[in-house]
Structures are given as C-alpha cells and as structure tokens.
Amino acid sequence: MHKNLKKYFPIFALPTLLAFTIAFIIPFIMGIYLSFTEFRTVTDAKWVGFSNYVEAFQNKDFLNALIFTSAFTIVSVITINIFSFALASLLTRGKRGTNIFRTIFFMPNLIGGIVLGYIWQLIINGVLYKFGVTLTFAPKYGFWGLVILMNWQLIGYMMIIYIAGIQNIPKDLVEAARIDGANKKQILRNVTIPLVMPSITICLFLTLSNSFKLFDQNLALTAGAPSKKTAMLALDIYNTFYGKVGSEGVGQAKAVIFFIIVVAIALVQLKATRNKEVEN
C-alpha cells in the first residue's frame, strides 16, 4: 500500500503543484524582477537596479504608512488577543448559553472587509458628528477607528482558537493546582497560559499578519485621509502602483519590502512563542 502511494503520489500532486507554480511562484518571481525595473507593462520593463528601492525609502508617504501600520499592528495585536483570551476564559466555564455567545462573537468575522469598513464608517462618524469631527478630521480618529474595526472583526475568531486551547487543558492539572493552594491568578500564569501557548502562537501569527496586510477596511473606512496620513502599507502600495503612470516599478519595490517585513516579523514571532510551548 505504501509503495503504491509513493508510485502514484506525483500523478495526484502534479495538478496542485502546477496550479501553485502558475498562480503563485511565477508571479512572485516576476514581481521581484519587476521591482528592479521601470515598466508600464511586463513586456516593456527596463532595468534600473536599486533606484526603485531608494525612491521608495525616500518617499514620505511610504515611511508614514510604515510607522502608522506598525503602531496600528502593535495596538491591535495586544487588544485583540487580550479581549479574545478573556472571552474564551469566560465561555469555557460550563455556563448555559455559552454556545450561543460563541456564535454571536464569531459572526463579525464572516463579513467582508469593504462592507465592514463602510458599516463602521457610518457608525463611528455618527458618534463623532456630535463632537463636530469625523474619521478623517485628524489621523488619530482614523487610527482608533481602524483599531475598533479590527478588534470587532477578529476577536471572535481568535476566541474560538483560544477556547480550543483552554478546553484541551487536562482538568487534573487544574484540580491539582487548586489542591496545592494556588489561586486563580497563579493557575492562569503557571498552568493555563503555558498550556495554551500553541493557541497563543497561532493567534499572534494571525493577528500580526492580518493587521499588517489590512487593505479593504482601510480603503473603506478612511481611504488614507487626511492627506494619506492614515494610509497603511497595502493602501500606499496600491496608490503608488495605480496612482501615477511610470511609478509601477516603485510600487512593486514597496510590495517586495512589504513582503520581507511581514515574513521577518512572522518568523521572529513564531520562533519566540514556539520556544515557550509546553506539552500537555
């Protein structure tokens, strides 16, 4: 049986590998090449070396987007994971009706980014109008509007992952800790969190990557206003690539830089949290 699987594996894997190569590998390699060129279409690319990267780092809008995205990611990752973990702890206590609340909290994750952005734009602006301002009045309003939106969308999703981790903790360990005289804070710090680290690793990775890659919600909520000060990296790359003829190469260079940053941060985070994981 094992020999037959090895024999026919290439046949079954070939269509998937072929599709992955055509849809991802080839465009990815072409994208890296085009970041070193000046082009309008892929057929008229002219090699310019690192000039696109130099121009990208000299662009104030790109640097502002990098700072804005970094600050937004830090705040979002902290708040989303704290609130989702707290909800998961509350909804794993065996109370009646918890399944209904789990469903309700998870539902926002099912709404598309553009729709979600416009919905929250109406809600937040409706509140801010009473104070004579809007989301685009100053960058701080757009920043916190994006944080609220991101929290509302992802808390329920992360909560489900934390619930799975908490439910996987052996009850005997918790009972033994209580018998030994540990209080709730000590159980949380010394039993629950160490055993839920695999879930924490997953949730941190998802919130980090989703926060850095945010585009639809940013476009719908503020579109970078005022004066591109609330534009995140993905939106800045989009505006560069499609905003001016001849800037496609710079936009592609920004996209490569964006990819490197996201991969580097994700790898560091995965390594840091996996080292703290323990076996149940």
Side-chain angles (χ1 to χ4, degrees):
M1 183 67 180
H2 186 66
K3 290 182 178 180
N4 287 334
L5 285 174
K6 279 190 172 182
K7 182 179 179 181
Y8 293 107
F9 175 78
I11 297 174
F12 290 107
L14 184 61
T16 302
L17 291 173
L18 187 62
F20 182 75
T21 301
I22 294 172
F24 180 78
I25 299 297
I26 294 175
F28 178 74
I29 294 171
M30 287 184 64
I32 294 174
Y33 165 73
L34 290 172
S35 70
F36 293 97
T37 67
E38 182 180 335
F39 69 97
R40 294 184 181 179
T41 64
V42 294
T43 58
D44 66 353
K46 180 183 177 182
W47 185 266
V48 293
F50 286 94
S51 61
N52 288 334
Y53 289 89
V54 173
E55 187 173 344
F57 280 111
Q58 290 177 343
N59 186 283
K60 292 182 179 180
D61 291 335
F62 179 68
L63 296 177
N64 178 75
L66 180 58
I67 295 170
F68 185 87
T69 303
S70 300
F72 168 80
T73 300
I74 292 169
V75 174
S76 295
V77 168
I78 293 171
T79 53
I80 289 170
N81 284 281
I82 288 175
F83 288 132
S84 57
F85 186 83
L87 282 174
S89 299
L90 290 172
L91 296 177
T92 50
R93 295 183 178 180
K95 304 294 183 180
R96 292 181 62 184
T98 54
N99 289 334
I100 296 173
F101 284 105
R102 291 177 189 180
T103 304
I104 292 171
F105 285 125
F106 180 76
M107 285 177 66
N109 188 66
L110 304 176
I111 303 175
I114 288 288
V115 175
L116 195 62
Y118 284 122
I119 290 172
W120 275 100
Q121 184 190 70
L122 293 172
I123 294 171
I124 297 173
N125 276 337
V127 175
L128 292 177
Y129 278 144
K130 296 181 180 181
F131 301 95
V133 296
T134 65
L135 279 166
T136 56
F137 181 79
K140 62 181 180 180
Y141 297 112
F143 177 87
W144 289 110
L146 285 166
V147 170
I148 292 170
L149 184 156
M150 196 67 172
N151 273 260
W152 191 80
Q153 184 179 23
L154 289 184
I155 282 175
Y157 184 25
M158 300 304 124
M159 177 198 70
I160 296 298
I161 298 173
Y162 281 126
I163 285 174
I166 293 172
Q167 289 180 333
N168 196 41
I169 297 174
K171 293 182 180 179
D172 295 344
L173 287 176
V174 179
E175 290 298 327
R178 287 174 181 167
I179 292 170
D180 289 339
N183 57 36
K184 290 183 179 179
K185 289 183 179 179
Q186 289 172 329
I187 292 172
L188 176 65
R189 185 174 64 252
N190 299 313
V191 178
T192 304
I193 292 178
L195 293 177
V196 180
M197 278 307 298
S199 296
I200 293 174
T201 298
I202 295 169
C203 289
L204 285 176
F205 174 78
L206 291 174
T207 49
L208 269 170
S209 57
N210 282 317
S211 296
F212 254 101
K213 295 186 297 182
L214 195 70
F215 173 74
D216 294 359
Q217 296 90 327
N218 188 203
L219 178 63
L221 197 70
T222 66
S227 304
K228 298 182 180 180
K229 291 181 180 179
T230 61
M232 298 181 68
L233 282 172
L235 182 58
D236 180 70
I237 292 167
Y238 174 85
N239 289 335
T240 302
F241 198 94
Y242 295 103
K244 181 182 177 182
V245 176
S247 64
E248 292 85 356
V250 179
Q252 194 63 45
K254 288 182 178 182
V256 173
I257 296 167
F258 180 43
F259 171 79
I260 293 171
I261 291 172
V262 173
V263 170
I265 292 174
L267 289 175
V268 170
Q269 175 264 310
L270 286 172
K271 185 176 181 180
T273 53
R274 278 179 176 172
N275 288 337
K276 296 182 181 181
E277 293 181 9
V278 297
E279 295 292 335
N280 285 357

